[in-house]
Amino acid sequence: SQTIHQWPATLVQPVGSPLSLECTVEGTSNPNLYWYRQAAGRGLQLLFYSVGIGQISSEVPQNLSASRPQDRQFILSSKKLLLSDSGFYLCAASSFRTGGTDTQYFGPGTRLTVL
Amino acid sequence: AQSVTQLGSHVSVSEGALVLLRCNYSSSVPPYLFWYVQYPNQGLQLLLKYTSAATLVKGINGFEAEFKKSETSFHLTKPSAHMSDAAEYFCAVISTGYSSASKIIFGSGTRLSIRP
Protein backbone atom coordinates (compact mmCIF):
# COMPACT_ATOMS: atom_id res chain seq x y z
CA SER A 1 0.00 0.00 0.00
CA GLN A 2 1.10 3.55 -0.56
CA THR A 3 2.30 5.97 2.09
CA ILE A 4 2.13 9.72 1.67
CA HIS A 5 4.46 12.07 3.50
CA GLN A 6 3.98 15.80 3.89
CA TRP A 7 6.19 18.42 5.45
CA PRO A 8 6.29 20.54 7.29
CA ALA A 9 3.44 19.51 9.56
CA THR A 10 2.81 23.09 10.66
CA LEU A 11 4.00 26.42 9.33
CA VAL A 12 3.53 30.03 10.36
CA GLN A 13 4.50 32.56 7.72
CA PRO A 14 4.16 36.34 7.36
CA VAL A 15 2.12 37.88 4.58
CA GLY A 16 4.23 38.36 1.47
CA SER A 17 6.68 35.58 2.24
CA PRO A 18 7.27 32.62 -0.09
CA LEU A 19 5.93 29.12 0.47
CA SER A 20 7.05 25.61 -0.36
CA LEU A 21 5.16 22.54 0.80
CA GLU A 22 6.39 19.11 -0.14
CA CYS A 23 4.61 15.83 -0.66
CA THR A 24 6.28 12.50 -1.40
CA VAL A 25 4.72 9.12 -2.04
CA GLU A 26 6.05 5.64 -1.29
CA GLY A 27 4.80 2.26 -2.36
CA THR A 28 3.55 3.02 -5.84
CA SER A 29 4.87 4.25 -9.15
CA ASN A 30 3.41 6.81 -11.54
CA PRO A 31 0.68 7.92 -9.15
CA ASN A 32 -1.83 10.65 -9.82
CA LEU A 33 -1.15 13.39 -7.29
CA TYR A 34 -3.45 16.02 -5.84
CA TRP A 35 -3.27 19.13 -3.65
CA TYR A 36 -6.32 20.12 -1.62
CA ARG A 37 -6.94 23.01 0.72
CA GLN A 38 -9.30 22.88 3.65
CA ALA A 39 -10.14 26.26 5.11
CA ALA A 40 -11.39 26.49 8.68
CA GLY A 41 -14.90 25.08 8.97
CA ARG A 42 -15.13 24.36 5.27
CA GLY A 43 -14.87 21.39 2.97
CA LEU A 44 -12.04 20.34 0.70
CA GLN A 45 -11.13 22.34 -2.35
CA LEU A 46 -9.08 20.71 -5.08
CA LEU A 47 -6.23 23.04 -6.05
CA PHE A 48 -4.05 21.05 -8.45
CA TYR A 49 -3.66 17.57 -9.82
CA SER A 50 -0.94 15.84 -11.81
CA VAL A 51 -0.94 12.70 -13.92
CA GLY A 52 2.81 12.67 -14.53
CA ILE A 53 6.13 14.48 -14.20
CA GLY A 54 5.80 18.08 -15.28
CA GLN A 55 2.06 17.72 -15.93
CA ILE A 56 0.05 20.04 -13.71
CA SER A 57 -3.61 20.95 -13.97
CA SER A 58 -4.98 23.86 -11.98
CA GLU A 59 -8.53 23.81 -10.72
CA VAL A 60 -8.89 27.37 -9.46
CA PRO A 61 -7.09 30.62 -10.23
CA GLN A 62 -5.11 31.66 -7.22
CA ASN A 63 -1.89 32.76 -5.65
CA LEU A 64 -0.43 29.26 -5.61
CA SER A 65 1.43 27.03 -8.06
CA ALA A 66 2.42 23.38 -8.13
CA SER A 67 5.26 21.39 -9.61
CA ARG A 68 6.13 17.74 -10.00
CA PRO A 69 9.88 17.42 -10.48
CA GLN A 70 9.94 13.67 -9.84
CA ASP A 71 7.46 10.83 -10.25
CA ARG A 72 6.58 10.68 -6.56
CA GLN A 73 7.19 14.26 -5.49
CA PHE A 74 4.63 17.04 -5.59
CA ILE A 75 5.38 20.59 -4.45
CA LEU A 76 3.02 23.44 -3.67
CA SER A 77 4.50 26.93 -3.86
CA SER A 78 3.76 30.58 -3.62
CA LYS A 79 5.93 33.63 -4.29
CA LYS A 80 3.98 35.89 -1.92
CA LEU A 81 1.54 34.54 0.64
CA LEU A 82 -1.81 36.17 1.33
CA LEU A 83 -3.85 35.98 4.53
CA SER A 84 -6.43 33.97 2.60
CA ASP A 85 -3.86 31.24 1.94
CA SER A 86 -4.17 30.07 5.54
CA GLY A 87 -5.61 26.60 5.86
CA PHE A 88 -4.94 22.91 6.06
CA TYR A 89 -3.22 21.57 2.95
CA LEU A 90 -3.64 17.95 2.03
CA CYS A 91 -1.76 15.92 -0.55
CA ALA A 92 -3.40 12.86 -2.02
CA ALA A 93 -2.29 10.09 -4.35
CA SER A 94 -4.04 7.49 -6.42
CA SER A 95 -3.03 4.77 -8.81
CA PHE A 96 -5.56 4.64 -11.56
CA ARG A 97 -6.04 1.37 -13.33
CA THR A 98 -8.18 1.20 -16.43
CA GLY A 99 -11.60 -0.14 -15.50
CA GLY A 100 -10.75 0.14 -11.81
CA THR A 101 -11.46 2.61 -9.07
CA ASP A 102 -9.25 5.63 -8.69
CA THR A 103 -9.18 5.67 -4.90
CA GLN A 104 -7.35 8.61 -3.38
CA TYR A 105 -5.24 8.21 -0.25
CA PHE A 106 -4.28 11.22 1.80
CA GLY A 107 -1.22 12.46 3.60
CA PRO A 108 -1.27 13.84 7.16
CA GLY A 109 -1.58 17.44 6.03
CA THR A 110 0.22 20.74 6.63
CA ARG A 111 -1.35 23.44 8.77
CA LEU A 112 -0.42 26.83 7.30
CA THR A 113 -1.09 30.04 9.19
CA VAL A 114 -0.38 33.32 7.43
CA LEU A 115 -0.09 36.33 9.75
CA ALA B 1 -21.83 16.53 -13.50
CA GLN B 2 -21.53 14.50 -10.34
CA SER B 3 -22.16 15.92 -6.87
CA VAL B 4 -22.83 14.82 -3.31
CA THR B 5 -24.94 16.37 -0.59
CA GLN B 6 -24.45 15.58 3.06
CA LEU B 7 -27.50 16.27 5.16
CA GLY B 8 -26.63 17.73 8.53
CA SER B 9 -23.36 19.51 9.20
CA HIS B 10 -23.38 18.23 12.78
CA VAL B 11 -24.77 15.01 14.23
CA SER B 12 -24.68 14.15 17.91
CA VAL B 13 -25.46 10.69 19.30
CA SER B 14 -25.06 8.96 22.64
CA GLU B 15 -22.37 6.36 23.13
CA GLY B 16 -23.80 2.98 22.16
CA ALA B 17 -26.50 4.49 19.93
CA LEU B 18 -26.92 4.02 16.20
CA VAL B 19 -24.89 6.32 13.97
CA LEU B 20 -26.52 7.44 10.72
CA LEU B 21 -24.80 9.96 8.46
CA ARG B 22 -26.69 10.84 5.32
CA CYS B 23 -25.32 11.30 1.84
CA ASN B 24 -27.17 11.74 -1.44
CA TYR B 25 -25.43 11.79 -4.77
CA SER B 26 -26.11 13.02 -8.26
CA SER B 27 -24.47 11.27 -11.17
CA SER B 28 -25.26 10.71 -14.83
CA VAL B 29 -23.13 7.56 -14.90
CA PRO B 30 -22.84 4.67 -12.43
CA PRO B 31 -21.03 6.32 -9.54
CA TYR B 32 -18.04 5.35 -7.49
CA LEU B 33 -18.76 6.52 -3.94
CA PHE B 34 -16.57 6.90 -0.88
CA TRP B 35 -16.72 7.74 2.79
CA TYR B 36 -13.69 9.29 4.44
CA VAL B 37 -13.10 10.15 8.09
CA GLN B 38 -10.94 13.00 9.36
CA TYR B 39 -9.78 13.24 12.96
CA PRO B 40 -8.68 16.69 14.21
CA ASN B 41 -5.55 18.00 12.52
CA GLN B 42 -5.09 14.81 10.52
CA GLY B 43 -5.49 13.80 6.91
CA LEU B 44 -8.45 11.90 5.51
CA GLN B 45 -8.69 8.16 6.04
CA LEU B 46 -10.70 5.96 3.69
CA LEU B 47 -13.56 4.27 5.54
CA LEU B 48 -15.13 2.41 2.65
CA LYS B 49 -15.91 2.62 -1.05
CA TYR B 50 -18.63 1.49 -3.43
CA THR B 51 -17.51 0.28 -6.84
CA SER B 52 -20.69 -1.25 -8.30
CA ALA B 53 -20.18 -4.65 -6.70
CA ALA B 54 -22.22 -5.43 -3.56
CA THR B 55 -24.65 -2.66 -2.60
CA LEU B 56 -23.87 -3.08 1.10
CA VAL B 57 -20.28 -2.09 1.70
CA LYS B 58 -18.46 -2.84 4.93
CA GLY B 59 -15.62 -0.62 6.01
CA ILE B 60 -13.22 -0.17 8.85
CA ASN B 61 -14.10 0.54 12.49
CA GLY B 62 -17.49 -1.19 12.19
CA PHE B 63 -18.95 1.23 9.66
CA GLU B 64 -20.96 0.22 6.64
CA ALA B 65 -22.88 1.98 3.88
CA GLU B 66 -25.64 0.90 1.56
CA PHE B 67 -25.90 2.06 -2.03
CA LYS B 68 -29.53 2.68 -2.99
CA LYS B 69 -29.89 3.65 -6.61
CA SER B 70 -33.63 4.34 -6.36
CA GLU B 71 -32.99 6.86 -3.59
CA THR B 72 -29.62 8.07 -4.93
CA SER B 73 -28.29 7.60 -1.43
CA PHE B 74 -25.17 6.21 0.21
CA HIS B 75 -25.78 6.63 3.93
CA LEU B 76 -23.14 5.64 6.47
CA THR B 77 -24.15 3.64 9.54
CA LYS B 78 -22.67 2.05 12.61
CA PRO B 79 -24.83 0.05 15.04
CA SER B 80 -23.19 1.26 18.22
CA ALA B 81 -21.28 4.52 18.54
CA HIS B 82 -17.99 4.70 20.40
CA MET B 83 -16.33 7.79 21.79
CA SER B 84 -13.46 7.27 19.34
CA ASP B 85 -15.87 7.75 16.42
CA ALA B 86 -16.02 11.49 17.06
CA ALA B 87 -14.62 13.06 13.88
CA GLU B 88 -15.55 14.74 10.61
CA TYR B 89 -16.97 12.47 7.93
CA PHE B 90 -16.92 13.19 4.21
CA CYS B 91 -18.95 11.55 1.49
CA ALA B 92 -17.41 11.73 -1.98
CA VAL B 93 -18.04 10.72 -5.58
CA ILE B 94 -15.60 10.35 -8.45
CA SER B 95 -16.40 12.92 -11.10
CA THR B 96 -15.03 10.87 -13.96
CA GLY B 97 -14.68 7.13 -13.71
CA TYR B 98 -12.46 6.29 -16.61
CA SER B 99 -10.14 9.16 -17.32
CA SER B 100 -6.47 9.16 -16.48
CA ALA B 101 -7.04 11.30 -13.39
CA SER B 102 -10.36 10.95 -11.69
CA LYS B 103 -11.31 13.93 -9.60
CA ILE B 104 -13.19 13.36 -6.38
CA ILE B 105 -16.05 15.63 -5.46
CA PHE B 106 -16.41 15.90 -1.69
CA GLY B 107 -19.46 16.73 0.33
CA SER B 108 -19.28 19.54 2.84
CA GLY B 109 -18.73 17.12 5.71
CA THR B 110 -20.63 16.04 8.82
CA ARG B 111 -19.13 16.47 12.24
CA LEU B 112 -20.04 13.55 14.48
CA SER B 113 -20.08 14.12 18.24
CA ILE B 114 -20.55 11.33 20.78
CA ARG B 115 -22.22 12.03 24.13
CA PRO B 116 -21.07 9.94 27.10
Side-chain angles (χ1 to χ4, degrees):
Chain A
S1 63
Q2 52 193 305
T3 303
I4 301 162
H5 302 281
Q6 287 187 245
W7 63 86
T10 60
L11 190 60
V12 180
Q13 292 284 91
V15 170
S17 64
L19 173 73
S20 181
L21 303 182
E22 188 165 347
C23 170
T24 57
V25 181
E26 293 179 358
T28 186
S29 59
N30 195 30
N32 296 328
L33 297 174
Y34 306 79
W35 277 114
Y36 291 86
R37 177 169 58 202
Q38 190 175 27
R42 302 181 66 178
L44 287 90
Q45 179 186 34
L46 178 63
L47 302 176
F48 302 94
Y49 69 92
S50 171
V51 300
I53 295 174
Q55 301 178 61
I56 308 296
S57 296
S58 175
E59 284 295 291
V60 292
Q62 59 203 314
N63 184 42
L64 303 169
S65 62
S67 62
R68 185 171 177 174
Q70 300 181 45
D71 180 46
R72 290 173 286 179
Q73 184 185 30
F74 204 23
I75 296 173
L76 184 69
S77 304
S78 173
K79 292 182 179 178
K80 289 186 178 182
L81 283 169
L82 306 172
L83 286 174
S84 58
D85 291 324
S86 293
F88 193 50
Y89 288 82
L90 290 160
C91 179
S94 66
S95 298
F96 181 76
R97 299 291 180 264
T98 300
T101 315
D102 194 19
T103 303
Q104 292 185 18
Y105 295 92
F106 286 79
T110 294
R111 173 76 59 193
L112 171 66
T113 303
V114 182
L115 302 175
Chain B
Q2 284 87 345
S3 66
V4 289
T5 302
Q6 291 185 242
L7 303 175
S9 59
H10 183 207
V11 171
S12 180
V13 302
S14 298
E15 189 174 19
L18 171 71
V19 175
L20 171 60
L21 305 182
R22 300 178 186 273
C23 173
N24 288 91
Y25 70 90
S26 173
S27 178
S28 57
V29 298
Y32 290 157
L33 294 160
F34 305 83
W35 275 100
Y36 286 88
V37 60
Q38 184 180 31
Y39 298 99
N41 294 310
Q42 294 186 26
L44 275 70
Q45 182 181 8
L46 181 68
L47 269 179
L48 49 82
K49 61 182 178 183
Y50 168 76
T51 59
S52 73
T55 56
L56 182 63
V57 182
K58 294 187 182 297
I60 62 172
N61 302 338
F63 284 93
E64 62 182 34
E66 186 172 8
F67 173 75
K68 292 187 177 181
K69 184 177 180 180
S70 60
E71 299 177 9
T72 62
S73 69
F74 190 56
H75 301 332
L76 182 70
T77 60
K78 182 173 180 178
S80 177
H82 191 273
M83 295 300 291
S84 61
D85 295 326
E88 187 95 17
Y89 291 80
F90 292 93
C91 181
V93 64
I94 282 187
S95 67
T96 52
Y98 299 95
S99 73
S100 59
S102 299
K103 290 180 283 186
I104 288 185
I105 306 299
F106 286 91
S108 55
T110 297
R111 184 162 61 91
L112 176 64
S113 299
I114 311 297
R115 300 188 300 270

